[in-house]
Amino acid sequence: MLKSDFRFSTPLRVRWSEADPQGIVFNGHYLNYVDVGVTEYYRALRAAAGAQPGEGLDGSEFFAAKTVLEYKAPALFDDLLDVHMRVAYFGNSSMRFVAAIYRGDELLLSGEVVYVHADQTTRRPTPIPDSFKQNVTTFECVAPEQAAPAVQG
């Protein structure tokens, strides 16, 4: 996993409450760190697209469906981390974020989060709007892979 594959990263400092008595971050907090990365990614994406706060909320939402984290080395209390995020794949109604957390040049964690685009009321999957896919593709330095279109028969 190369840092250069990520256009976006956000800094995060490890807080005392996230570490055990030896000063090592408890593994469950890394998912929170990735979630902060996703939130900040969306903020940066919306700003890059010229969107105002609250604009574009259309009754649909992305819901987390799968998370995979691979721990490489521990973060410690007061470490300054860089949470790197990118959208690596689009399906019809799903997308996959790739995450990497670094302390300086040391990779501490890699992972992915799969989200499904769905109606907020029914929670049924809905296609990801092409405009969203285009904004992400323009924002990224490595274009997300896309599922092949379904064959009509």
Side-chain angles (χ1 to χ4, degrees):
M1 186 164 301
L2 301 173
K3 277 186 171 182
S4 61
D5 288 344
F6 295 90
R7 174 180 179 196
F8 176 80
S9 70
T10 189
L12 189 143
R13 181 151 323 258
V14 174
R15 297 169 295 198
W16 179 252
S17 64
E18 298 163 344
D20 65 17
Q22 291 77 36
I24 298 170
V25 171
F26 176 69
N27 64 0
H29 289 292
Y30 290 94
L31 187 53
N32 287 328
Y33 297 167
V34 170
D35 189 59
V36 167
V38 169
T39 300
E40 295 303 322
Y41 178 95
Y42 278 127
R43 182 174 283 119
L45 176 66
R46 291 177 57 73
Q52 298 301 313
E55 183 181 0
L57 301 177
D58 63 358
S60 63
E61 184 63 76
F62 285 97
F63 296 97
K66 176 183 175 182
T67 304
V68 176
L69 301 178
E70 294 184 37
Y71 303 94
K72 310 290 186 182
L76 307 172
F77 165 66
D78 209 35
D79 278 350
L80 182 59
L81 308 177
D82 286 310
V83 181
H84 294 253
M85 302 297 303
R86 73 181 182 90
V87 175
Y89 173 82
F90 281 119
N92 180 47
S93 62
S94 67
M95 73 174 168
R96 184 177 70 240
F97 271 96
V98 173
I101 298 177
Y102 288 88
R103 177 182 48 225
D105 288 331
E106 182 183 13
L107 178 63
L108 304 182
L109 177 131
S110 63
E112 65 179 43
V113 183
V114 175
Y115 287 93
V116 174
H117 187 256
D119 181 274
Q120 285 180 332
T121 304
T122 66
R123 294 192 174 237
R124 300 290 306 153
T126 59
I128 298 172
D130 289 336
S131 60
F132 180 83
K133 290 180 180 181
Q134 183 56 51
N135 284 341
V136 168
T137 300
T138 300
F139 182 73
E140 291 290 353
C141 62
V142 175
E145 294 177 38
Q146 301 232 9
V151 176
Q152 301 294 323

